[in-house]
Amino acid sequence: MADPLRGQVMRLYKTLLYLGREYPQGAAYFRERLKSAFMKNKDVTDPENIQKLVARGDFVIKELEALYFLRKYRAMKKRYYEPEK
Amino acid sequence: MSGRVLVGVKRVIDYAVKIRVKPDNSGVVTDGVKHSMNPFCEIAVEEAVKMKEKKLIKEVVAVSCGPQQAQETIRTALAMGADRGIHVEVTGKDYDMLGPLQVSKIMAALAKKEDAQLIILGKQAIDGDCNQTGQMTAALLDWPQGTFASEVSLEGDTVKVVREIDGGLETIKINTPAVLTADLRLNTPRYATLPNIMKAKKKKIAKVKPADLGLDMTSRLEVLRVDEPPQRLAGVKVETVDDLVAKLKETGRL
């Protein structure tokens, strides 16, 4: 793997792992799936493909952030506000 | 105007955790339980950072009161974009009894010391649910307050605040310096991802004690007992409408 790309992939993995701590089904569940998803692609060498996969990882980060926000927002709304008529 | 905004952030038990009452009913179990920043405080930080990004203010200072772990919450605020932090160290019994009165005294003292233009707080904490700190802080400083803010526009020396009230929305205009409390719909807080947290490690957190600010943390309140809410009784199913009417008459509701 080209050096700068390796750094990118490692950072992506660490960022996703950090995000996974808040995963609704548990951090361990998330970590398992994260690891297997990365391991599945461990033999990819083409830089273009790697970039595509990293971009997909960035997309997953955004999805997780949105998921966490919505969960929290809905919980707060339910607890503190009257149900809409 | 100094262009400095103070944001109060509280470390609370994470909103998704199931709360357990201690066996001796003296309080809630906190040891080993996941803690995070109060959701309304997150919204407050986001609003301050947004103001800075729009160049309406110059500096965002995150403040938290509590033991060493309060620094984690300040770090999250720094990762979201705050410039520096102030950790007011309160431990032991003082921390157990730390409430809106004590925190508002601290915020007021810091606001004067730091020459703050605005104080932004969450409207309430999900553990205490007091909804008092913002109001008390404004009273102690004799500053105007814009509470339950769902929209804030800083316009020179004044702030336009749209407030969520029972009847709907109320728009007010207040002078700065002022205290604002954030309501749920004010904004969408950004997530403090790992890269942001790493970058924020360089930012400074000053440590200060209430005594340094000339404050006494004695509480006027005493917690007598903490209990779980009463269990909801299981519902009863009936077969026909007549049965329903009979049951309602039986329990004296008809």
Side-chain angles (χ1 to χ4, degrees):
Chain A
M1 253 198 286
D3 249 19
L5 283 177
R6 184 184 178 79
Q8 249 190 309
V9 173
M10 294 300 276
R11 272 195 300 277
L12 178 68
Y13 186 81
K14 284 183 195 162
T15 305
L16 280 166
L17 196 60
Y18 183 79
L19 266 178
R21 298 182 325 172
E22 230 187 289
Y23 200 67
Q25 275 136 302
Y29 175 97
F30 183 89
R31 201 170 139 266
E32 251 182 70
R33 271 152 195 72
L34 174 69
K35 190 147 188 223
S36 61
F38 270 65
M39 282 319 209
K40 210 167 47 154
N41 295 311
K42 70 176 169 148
D43 293 320
V44 176
T45 48
D46 175 22
E48 214 183 290
N49 272 338
I50 295 175
Q51 293 282 40
K52 277 203 195 121
L53 290 168
V54 168
R56 199 183 334 150
D58 287 334
F59 178 73
V60 172
I61 291 174
K62 293 237 161 3
E63 292 270 282
L64 283 170
E65 289 178 10
L67 167 72
Y68 294 164
F69 168 70
L70 271 174
R71 265 181 94 225
K72 194 178 282 189
Y73 178 84
R74 284 181 180 147
M76 293 298 110
K77 187 160 178 237
K78 194 167 171 208
R79 288 180 202 175
Y80 288 102
Y81 300 88
E82 290 295 311
E84 264 150 61
K85 294 185 184 76
Chain B
M1 283 267 95
S2 71
R4 186 170 296 126
V5 174
L6 240 55
V7 183
V9 293
K10 188 179 181 186
R11 179 174 181 264
V12 298
I13 295 180
D14 189 80
Y15 83 98
V17 167
K18 184 160 198 318
I19 307 293
R20 299 212 181 283
V21 175
K22 284 191 200 160
D24 62 359
N25 292 101
S26 63
V28 146
V29 177
T30 54
D31 283 340
V33 174
K34 180 171 187 219
H35 283 67
S36 51
M37 191 191 292
N38 179 38
F40 294 107
C41 296
E42 289 177 350
I43 299 174
V45 174
E46 176 66 26
E47 196 60 22
V49 173
K50 269 207 170 85
M51 282 183 189
K52 195 180 99 167
E53 286 171 347
K54 287 189 209 158
K55 303 218 194 295
L56 296 168
I57 55 135
K58 294 198 203 103
E59 193 186 26
V60 179
V61 183
V63 180
S64 194
C65 309
Q68 188 60 22
Q69 296 97 316
Q71 294 210 1
E72 292 164 17
T73 315
I74 300 177
R75 289 254 165 252
T76 307
L78 294 173
M80 285 173 73
D83 297 292
R84 58 186 168 89
I86 300 176
H87 169 213
V88 181
E89 194 177 33
V90 182
T91 54
K93 270 259 143 31
D94 280 345
Y95 178 61
D96 291 336
M97 293 314 299
L98 193 68
L101 182 59
Q102 293 75 25
V103 175
S104 55
K105 284 181 182 170
I106 291 172
M107 292 305 294
L110 285 175
K112 287 196 195 125
K113 187 161 176 266
E114 299 285 334
D115 188 26
Q117 182 181 346
L118 273 180
I119 300 178
I120 311 183
L121 305 171
K123 72 164 180 174
Q124 69 197 76
I126 59 172
D127 53 6
D129 282 319
C130 295
N131 195 319
Q132 295 166 353
T133 310
Q135 291 85 339
M136 282 181 173
T137 310
L140 287 170
L141 288 165
D142 199 22
W143 285 8
Q145 56 186 267
T147 54
F148 308 99
S150 69
E151 213 184 294
V152 170
S153 347
L154 196 55
E155 293 155 7
D157 281 343
T158 63
V159 194
K160 191 175 89 173
V161 184
V162 178
R163 307 178 57 227
E164 283 196 35
I165 60 173
D166 286 344
L169 296 172
E170 178 193 56
T171 308
I172 60 169
K173 194 183 219 179
I174 53 178
N175 294 327
T176 55
V179 177
L180 306 174
T181 69
D183 210 323
L184 190 62
R185 282 161 273 260
L186 180 57
N187 58 47
T188 305
R190 63 198 68 190
Y191 202 85
T193 53
L194 196 58
N196 294 345
I197 293 182
M198 306 283 11
K199 273 184 236 162
K201 284 207 168 158
K202 300 182 197 132
K203 299 182 186 175
K204 295 218 181 325
I205 300 181
K207 196 147 117 174
V208 95
K209 290 198 168 78
D212 300 339
L213 299 166
L215 298 172
D216 174 24
M217 291 286 99
T218 323
S219 174
R220 300 175 193 184
L221 303 174
E222 186 195 335
V223 174
L224 298 175
R225 198 183 156 86
V226 175
D227 284 301
E228 294 215 353
Q231 297 291 349
R232 272 185 69 181
L233 295 165
V236 178
K237 271 192 168 155
V238 292
E239 293 293 307
T240 69
V241 176
D242 289 331
D243 282 351
L244 176 62
V245 174
K247 263 260 177 285
L248 286 170
K249 282 198 174 139
E250 204 181 297
T251 54
R253 292 193 189 278
L254 252 189

